[in-house]
Amino acid sequence: MAAADVASISQAPVPGYIHATPSRGLYRDVDQAIHDYIGASSKLEHDFSEDEPFFVADLGQVLIQHQKWQKYLPMVEPFYAVKCNPDLPLLRYLGTLGTGFDCASIEEIRTMLSWGVEPSRIIFANPCKSPSSVRFARSVGVYRTTCDNIDELEKIHFIMPEAMIVLRLFASDPEAMTDLSDKFGATKDVALDLLKRARQLGMNVEGVSFHVGSGSRSATAFETALRDSKHILEVARSLGFKSNLLDIGGGFLDEHFVIVAEKIRCFIETEIPSDIRVIAEPGRFYVQNAYSLVTKVIARRQATSQHGVSTIGMLYQNDGIYRNFMNAVFENLRPEPQLIRSNINPIGPEAPRRTRCEHEYHIWGPTCDSRDSITKTAIFDSEVLVGDWLKYKDMGAYTLAMATRFNGFDSQCKIVYVSSKL
Ligand code: PLP
């Protein structure tokens, strides 16, 4: 495949066309796409991009996740959490699938509206917003927003009195990969105070929301939060609010989804009145397993200490914790690379020949910061050479969304789109 073709795929897929013409310009196989991209990029020496990491995004996998959601939680409307992965073709594709969107900032709202997403398909799900972002939301007709404290309620009343308030309730799975309860969520007492004040102010409390924490395996955490939500919805209704919205947040992990979803579905069917609309804000569940990241080994050396050179091999790749691996640090993940051996030798005629036995490496990112470490225990069945590639699966959630430009490395990556499984 020519470099130009690779570039056109990575820049402008039109996800709406994927159903109709899966083979038209889009790969069906992730590894084939990686293979061809590597081949094409090796010919790009003139623009220095042959040493850049790249993603392969399988939008077919996103569809699989969506279908799984519809199968196990058919009564819950997903509002995809844009913060998790704001890749534009992905967002457009989700738009064609009919999801709503959870936006946290002016920029996220602006992006979604610019493609004609109706304001009613957006929830401004940030419980502590700047006054100017509330003003912006009002100016574009995004009235649905979360709130978990009295100052925020007063702020919203002052700037956007017609807001559809969604009270964000306290919820916590302490075992979640990222527990959000230290930062957000009204206790039942605070929620009651908020309801009373909203009543005095004549505001519209549309319903309640919660988030048990990102990357939760706990059906119990959802059940507890659902019970609290039911209680506050009943109190709201008894105070005269219509309150017909329940937002069960995000936190879903693909591996535990079926069990957790089963419990949620059972609770909703038996405990939640049928006139209550139920929505959710999944992020990770939709995208984590749809994106692979491919990095390149740009340097290697032996570890050293005050005792001299050790036998520990160290690899330096072109992506690290300041780019697409930041969340691996926050969530204590242990990224597991797969080796893609290169037959192109970029370091000259004296390059060593590869030895074929098990090797263990410490893998570092490209910056000059010693915290920029990916894993200390990567094991491969051969030696790894400069110019080899490393494939990391399940890199769709909180990766490209969190990349920085630290040390002058680019925060953007090329993305090759694949339509497998369609
Ligand atoms: N909704 C809100 C308010 C969040 O803060 C987050 C993540 O932090 C999400 C949804 C998405 O969560 P997840 O990716 O775990 O589904």
Side-chain angles (χ1 to χ4, degrees):
M1 164 169 284
D5 294 334
V6 171
S8 69
I9 286 174
S10 63
Q11 277 161 22
V14 184
Y17 284 120
I18 289 174
H19 298 287
T21 55
S23 59
R24 216 178 95 186
L26 281 170
Y27 285 99
R28 302 196 67 146
D29 181 72
V30 170
D31 287 327
Q32 185 62 46
I34 291 173
H35 177 270
D36 286 359
Y37 188 89
I38 286 174
S41 75
S42 67
K43 301 186 183 83
L44 296 177
E45 283 168 27
H46 55 280
D47 70 358
F48 304 110
S49 64
E50 83 272 17
D51 284 334
E52 284 296 305
F54 63 95
F55 280 100
V56 176
D58 182 358
L59 297 180
Q61 186 61 44
V62 175
L63 178 62
I64 301 281
Q65 298 304 108
H66 183 60
Q67 288 168 336
K68 199 164 169 184
W69 183 280
Q70 288 178 315
K71 179 172 175 195
Y72 291 99
L73 286 177
M75 75 294 282
V76 182
E77 298 170 46
F79 279 54
Y80 171 72
V82 176
K83 63 180 80 64
C84 181
N85 180 335
D87 180 27
L88 300 182
L90 164 75
L91 297 178
R92 287 173 67 185
Y93 185 50
L94 286 166
T96 68
L97 293 179
T99 72
F101 296 92
D102 150 14
C103 296
S105 62
I106 292 177
E107 197 46 44
E108 289 185 356
I109 295 174
R110 213 197 296 273
T111 300
M112 299 322 303
L113 294 177
S114 71
W115 295 333
V117 169
E118 289 292 314
S120 62
R121 281 173 68 192
I122 294 174
I123 177 167
F124 194 176
N126 185 338
C128 296
K129 300 167 285 294
S130 66
S132 54
S133 64
V134 180
R135 241 186 335 272
F136 173 79
R138 186 183 197 213
S139 74
V140 295
V142 172
Y143 298 119
R144 180 176 293 120
T145 187
T146 56
C147 167
D148 71 354
N149 66 83
I150 199 76
D151 281 359
E152 187 75 6
L153 192 72
E154 300 287 349
K155 182 198 297 170
I156 295 170
H157 175 255
F158 181 57
I159 301 171
M160 184 164 64
E162 64 278 71
M164 299 149 82
I165 299 286
V166 180
L167 292 184
R168 166 87 174 257
L169 303 180
F170 176 89
S172 173
D173 170 9
E175 308 293 316
M177 293 158 90
T178 302
D179 185 9
L180 299 167
S181 63
D182 282 347
K183 191 165 182 182
F184 296 119
T187 60
K188 284 191 233 171
D189 287 348
V190 172
L192 185 57
D193 290 345
L194 291 172
L195 285 171
K196 286 182 185 158
R197 181 64 182 142
R199 199 79 199 129
Q200 280 173 356
L201 293 169
M203 296 177 81
N204 171 10
V205 176
E206 197 197 10
V208 299
S209 75
F210 62 80
H211 194 307
V212 297
S214 189
S216 172
R217 298 165 183 84
S218 170
T220 311
F222 274 96
E223 279 172 327
T224 306
L226 283 165
R227 219 165 279 289
D228 291 348
S229 300
K230 179 188 173 193
H231 172 68
I232 298 298
L233 282 171
E234 284 167 358
V235 174
R237 287 179 160 203
S238 72
L239 289 173
F241 293 105
K242 214 167 151 215
S243 293
N244 57 3
L245 185 82
L246 167 60
D247 175 354
I248 65 172
F252 306 89
L253 274 175
D254 187 52
E255 312 87 275
H256 299 266
F257 182 69
V258 174
I259 292 170
V260 170
E262 191 62 35
K263 290 274 178 2
I264 292 172
R265 192 165 59 83
C266 187
F267 190 97
I268 293 171
E269 280 172 358
T270 55
E271 304 275 344
I272 301 294
S274 57
D275 65 327
I276 289 186
R277 178 184 183 197
V278 186
I279 68 171
E281 302 163 4
R284 193 189 304 264
F285 172 78
Y286 266 78
V287 294
Q288 176 161 301
N289 59 8
Y291 284 61
S292 298
L293 176 68
V294 185
T295 68
K296 193 173 192 179
V297 177
I298 51 172
R300 58 175 206 159
R301 53 177 288 237
Q302 297 301 116
T304 45
S305 69
Q306 63 264 59
H307 307 299
V309 177
S310 87
T311 54
I312 299 171
M314 308 206 294
L315 305 176
Y316 297 72
Q317 65 174 25
N318 54 3
D319 199 328
I321 68 162
Y322 293 100
R323 208 165 173 183
N324 293 301
F325 289 87
M326 184 180 292
N327 198 46
V329 176
F330 291 156
E331 294 185 341
N332 243 328
L333 307 177
R334 299 218 1 231
E336 288 179 14
Q338 293 166 15
L339 176 61
I340 303 172
R341 294 183 194 88
S342 171
N343 50 20
I344 297 172
N345 156 30
I347 67 168
E350 302 301 323
R353 287 174 65 92
R354 190 189 304 276
T355 55
R356 297 269 177 174
C357 59
E358 191 174 281
H359 279 66
E360 184 169 342
Y361 291 99
H362 183 166
I363 301 181
W364 300 89
T367 67
C368 295
D369 182 348
S370 61
R371 277 168 299 205
D372 193 3
S373 164
I374 309 298
T375 170
K376 291 185 173 171
T377 54
I379 298 175
F380 303 104
D381 62 2
S382 77
E383 186 180 4
V384 179
L385 301 181
V386 173
D388 284 344
W389 297 83
L390 301 173
K391 174 186 170 189
Y392 296 85
K393 289 166 69 175
D394 299 339
M395 289 292 283
Y398 306 106
T399 50
L400 56 90
M402 297 170 80
T404 76
R405 294 184 51 79
F406 183 52
N407 273 212
F409 293 101
D410 200 348
S411 57
Q412 306 279 316
C413 259
K414 278 262 165 47
I415 304 178
V416 182
Y417 294 90
V418 169
S419 62
S420 78
K421 305 186 180 86
L422 291 185

